[in-house]
Amino acid sequence: MDTLLLSRIQFAVTIGFHFLFPPISIGLAWLLVGIEWRGWQASDEVYQRLGRFFARLLGLTFVMGVVTGIVMEFQFGTNWAQYSKFVGDIFGAPLAAEVVFAFFLESGFLGLYLFGGEKVGPRLRWFACLMVAVGATISAFWIIVAGSWMQTPAGYIINKELGRAELASFMEAVFNPSMGYRFFHTMTACLVSGAFFMAGIGAALVRKDNQNTVGREALKIALMVGFVFSILVAFPSGHEHAIQVARDQPEKFAAQEGLLQTQTKAPLVAFGLMKPGTTEYIVKFDVPVPGLLSLIAYGDTKAEVKGLDAFEEDELPPVWLTFMSFHTMVMLGGLFIMLTGLGVWKLWRGTLWQSRWYLTLLMIAVPLPLIAMQLGWVAAEVGRQPWIVYKLMRTSEAFSTTVPAGQVLFSLILFSVIYALLLGLYIYLLVRMVKSSSSILLETK
């Protein structure tokens, strides 16, 4: 058994499972800010009930995120000791800032928002909701700072005597070259996840009773927000992030785009299937616009784009996984635009409430934005390999050599079983909470 491989799989499992919940929490929290504002300012009873209903679902999702996030951070000390030793002086700062500046803000006001009830009044209830959304966003900011620094390290010096990287400029480390692009791309994706979560539940309510006012309003809000932010995920945030990757991590860009040969007027691969473990295409469809990839990457159709052949083999990431995850994410992004756009059109035409097949489709689509975000994470993190910190430390140098493979395997199996049970519990409680809220769900015009 390979300790390094098992450690990588375990970290992927723990962070991947944890990453199911923050996007919903962030997106849903910002949607609730608008809902609670309308309920307070207009004294709108439907929006007040809508806010109370989805606040309960936000609380459940937040708890799951906290429980699964704790395990993830412990692994830096247990499975990745060499990494922690090398960059702990830098990497620990944003993690500490996330707890101090974000977690306590978010959790404290969430308690007030959920349990304050009528005692705090609508003004304070809205403010508490706003602070929950702000806290969740700040939390995401610091976590993305840490991850982005690993992609494009900045603001550090190497202490050769101690054999580690040390913080030289806090501001340069925080606002490293990829930070802003990754943050805005992730936040827009979180709004899409929250919108699809609300849309799916709203669709279930309307499908059961197409006069349900709470379900109708939830569906209206979710479709409009989902449509706008599905576009923003692709452009400008996704487009600008792609330009940044092409500039700062050309190996990753070549792998994501499946560009085998360095060339000018580089074509864009719209769809392709590669043979696993190779750089050979089974199926490949280029967009019939010469130089489109060159234009996307450098703003010039004649610009040279480095292909996989420009790099040494030991400098390349796993190409098949990077390429397939990236392209599947992009295709899902296109699906989100079409699906929400169709819903907005049906809403405008007044046919949304009677379209049972479309409502069913929205219910099925609830997890798709989360899958797209998972694929985006895979494309970003696998695409950085073989580096755990780009051009500074290889992943093969970062794991804990003193931890036996058997122990890592045991903990991996244990975590996987626990997470499967937690996911089942979350879905069960989610469905139960929706069904049990009869005073809200059965209200009609």
Side-chain angles (χ1 to χ4, degrees), residues 8-50:
R8 293 177 66 178
I9 294 172
Q10 179 172 299
F11 193 77
V13 168
T14 54
I15 196 172
F17 186 75
H18 169 70
F19 197 40
L20 293 173
F21 304 105
I24 298 176
S25 296
I26 295 168
L28 189 57
W30 281 112
L31 286 167
L32 281 168
V33 169
I35 290 169
E36 293 287 357
W37 174 267
R38 170 71 179 271
W40 162 38
Q41 289 293 311
S43 298
D44 191 316
E45 184 183 349
V46 172
Y47 274 75
Q48 291 172 2
R49 289 188 282 113
L50 181 60

Side-chain angles (χ1 to χ4, degrees), residues 109-160:
F109 277 100
L110 181 63
L112 179 63
Y113 178 51
L114 293 178
F115 305 114
E118 301 299 326
K119 299 178 182 178
V120 299
R123 183 194 300 262
L124 186 53
R125 179 179 172 82
W126 172 80
F127 180 74
C129 180
L130 176 63
M131 289 299 99
V132 171
V134 170
T137 303
I138 295 173
S139 178
F141 174 84
W142 289 113
I143 296 301
I144 294 171
V145 164
S148 297
W149 187 86
M150 295 166 67
Q151 301 279 348
T152 51
Y156 68 93
I157 59 171
I158 299 297
N159 187 323
K160 295 183 179 180

Side-chain angles (χ1 to χ4, degrees), residues 16-231:
F17 186 75
H18 169 70
F19 197 40
L20 293 173
F21 304 105
I24 298 176
S25 296
I26 295 168
L28 189 57
W30 281 112
L31 286 167
L32 281 168
V33 169
I35 290 169
E36 293 287 357
W37 174 267
R38 170 71 179 271
W40 162 38
Q41 289 293 311
S43 298
D44 191 316
E45 184 183 349
V46 172
Y47 274 75
Q48 291 172 2
R49 289 188 282 113
L50 181 60
R52 289 195 297 270
F53 171 57
F54 277 101
R56 297 179 62 200
L57 306 186
L58 174 63
L60 173 64
T61 306
F62 175 81
V63 169
M64 291 296 294
V66 172
V67 170
T68 57
I70 294 173
V71 176
M72 183 179 63
E73 296 189 7
F74 277 115
Q75 288 182 86
F76 292 116
T78 57
N79 292 31
W80 301 96
Q82 297 304 314
Y83 167 79
S84 299
K85 179 181 177 181
F86 183 67
V87 299
D89 183 66
I90 301 171
F91 195 78
L95 295 185
E98 188 268 336
V99 174
V100 173
F101 297 119
F103 177 74
F104 292 119
L105 174 68
E106 182 182 6
S107 57
F109 277 100
L110 181 63
L112 179 63
Y113 178 51
L114 293 178
F115 305 114
E118 301 299 326
K119 299 178 182 178
V120 299
R123 183 194 300 262
L124 186 53
R125 179 179 172 82
W126 172 80
F127 180 74
C129 180
L130 176 63
M131 289 299 99
V132 171
V134 170
T137 303
I138 295 173
S139 178
F141 174 84
W142 289 113
I143 296 301
I144 294 171
V145 164
S148 297
W149 187 86
M150 295 166 67
Q151 301 279 348
T152 51
Y156 68 93
I157 59 171
I158 299 297
N159 187 323
K160 295 183 179 180
E161 183 178 345
L162 298 178
R164 67 178 190 180
E166 295 180 350
L167 190 63
S169 171
F170 181 74
M171 293 300 291
E172 288 183 16
V174 169
F175 297 102
N176 58 77
S178 66
M179 169 55 200
Y181 303 99
R182 290 165 59 86
F183 176 72
F184 287 109
H185 190 53
T186 302
M187 292 306 299
T188 50
C190 286
L191 265 295
V192 174
S193 297
F196 269 75
F197 181 82
M198 182 175 286
I201 294 174
L205 304 184
V206 174
R207 197 175 185 279
K208 184 176 181 180
D209 174 9
N210 66 13
Q211 295 300 312
N212 187 298
T213 53
V214 169
R216 282 192 169 203
E217 293 304 316
L219 204 47
K220 286 180 186 178
I221 296 167
L223 285 175
M224 290 187 287
V225 171
F227 180 60
V228 170
F229 281 91
S230 292
I231 294 172

